[in-house]
Amino acid sequence: MTYLFNQPSAFAAELIEGFVAANADKVRQVAGGVVRSTRSQPNTVAVIVGGGSGHYPAFAGLVGQGLAHGAAMGNLFASPSAQQIYNVARAAHNGAGVLLMFGNYAGDVLHFGQACERLRAEGIACDVLAVTDDISSAGKDELEKRRGVAGDLCVFKAACAAAEAGHDLSQVLQLAQHANNRTRTFGVAFSGCSLPGASHPLFEVEKGRMALGLGIHGEPGIKETDMPSADELAEIFVERLLNELPADIRQPEGQRVAVILNGLGSVKYEELFVVYRRVAQLLEAAKLQVVEPDVGEFVTSFNMAGASLTLMWLDDQLETLWRAPTNTPAYRKGSVLVAEPLSAAERVESTEEALPSATAESQESAKRVLQLLEAVAEMLQRNAERLGDIDAVAGDGDHGIGMERGVLGAVEKAREVAARGAGAGSLLCRAADAWADKAGGTSGALWGVALTALGTALGDRQTPDAQRVATGVREAKEGIMHFGKARVGDKTMVDVLVPFSDSLNEAVTAGASLTDAWLKAAQVADKAAQDTAQLVPKMGRARPLAEKSVGTPDAGAISLALIVNTVGDLLKEHSASEQGA
């Protein structure tokens, strides 16, 4: 379990505040994350890394001289929003463009990609690179589908050292791609992790067993085996990685490698050194030359018990970048000339988010979107206890509280940005960030993904029409399924979202008005939510008590059905008033 926290919903924000207070000589806080508090070389590329919080020292701990210029920090295990990434990139921009780097997860790909497009639209050169080092997450013929894990550090290091050396954006990107192509990681887990306030781990591994290739958020691995000895684990690591040579390397003998033995949270340094003892022996036997190995915690997962081994196959260029000095809160190498600190005025925290310009039509639409959010908030407050009771049958009973916190945070933010002239799209995207921040947990992250997708589809230029709304709902469905990994039949909100989205899009395509299409789809959602009572949960915290939940619908499915029906009722009222006028 996670022992020290105040309000679980405030954990991510409070950890950033404390991290900055402890490392003010290296980092300062901006809206969405942190950037260097020291002066960077003008007209050099800025490298921004990022992802969900809960993986320290990734990502904030890697900000500083010789490494990242900034880190966008999402909620716990949740991608930062496009707005957060944009804010961090703007604050760190040195005049020569920005490279955005992250692990290859659906939410990160979506949000970093959106931020990149926005930066480009404003005339800032920008590129993105998703790290794909986890060999267990996809086969050799699908390298682009692999996840990013502890190999993030190798790829980040190469890109950041290249930027520090003055290479232009295209060269920095090329070197980062080269490092990514030559980086491989294999990990194992012995037990799951628990987020602050959670009474159950996000995932579990049977006692005395080891999960091979399990992801850092509990994503599926390859298989489970009996718990090995330290030497046996080292042999598994090295054997797996030596069978995964990069395409441009024929034989390992004589090659140079950067090595990272990473602890995922509960496996401590002494244990890692015992494992590395055997790793070093095996690499020497394979006639590999190890260059400046790192043993410790580099990408963690709260209190997850597990470890991973990373190899980056070096050439002269990559070795130079790997050896280059760095000075960050969590990673130091060599010796750097300490950069000049920013002035007191420059170090003041920047927390207000810039809003894109919006047309008068979109600003008016934003007011209607705010009314919808307020109506949803009132409904969820009335139903919070009921949703909690449903969730308590096989979960921990906090679904209603989480939804209430999330929507109230979203409404507060929506009111703020509406008063500042936000368009409908920006209002929903800011509300999405607030929902994810305040709700916490998986549900909060998924609602953040959903509202961001809908806001992005609506934009800030035109009055939302049926087609744009239907497209946004479809993209919300796809984003949630990618991020949450649930499918129809798993007894989650997806069992409602998929038929709702499909029905809405079919009706709009057939020419129905938004109100008529939405009301029809809401009826479909109602039935789908009730039908989840007969399903056995295959994901989430209800899975360990799966049979107990049969006969009770899924709380997330019910809350989604309630929300779409509340929106439908308001759309119907608005349509009737317009016709009456």
Side-chain angles (χ1 to χ4, degrees), residues 295-314:
V295 179
E297 294 182 342
F298 303 99
V299 176
T300 62
S301 188
F302 271 101
N303 60 329
M304 179 175 173
S308 64
L309 184 68
T310 300
L311 299 181
M312 177 168 70
W313 301 82
L314 302 173

Side-chain angles (χ1 to χ4, degrees), residues 438-461:
K438 297 297 184 183
T442 303
S443 176
L446 294 180
W447 274 100
V449 169
L451 293 183
T452 298
L454 187 56
T456 301
L458 297 187
D460 293 323
R461 312 311 301 170

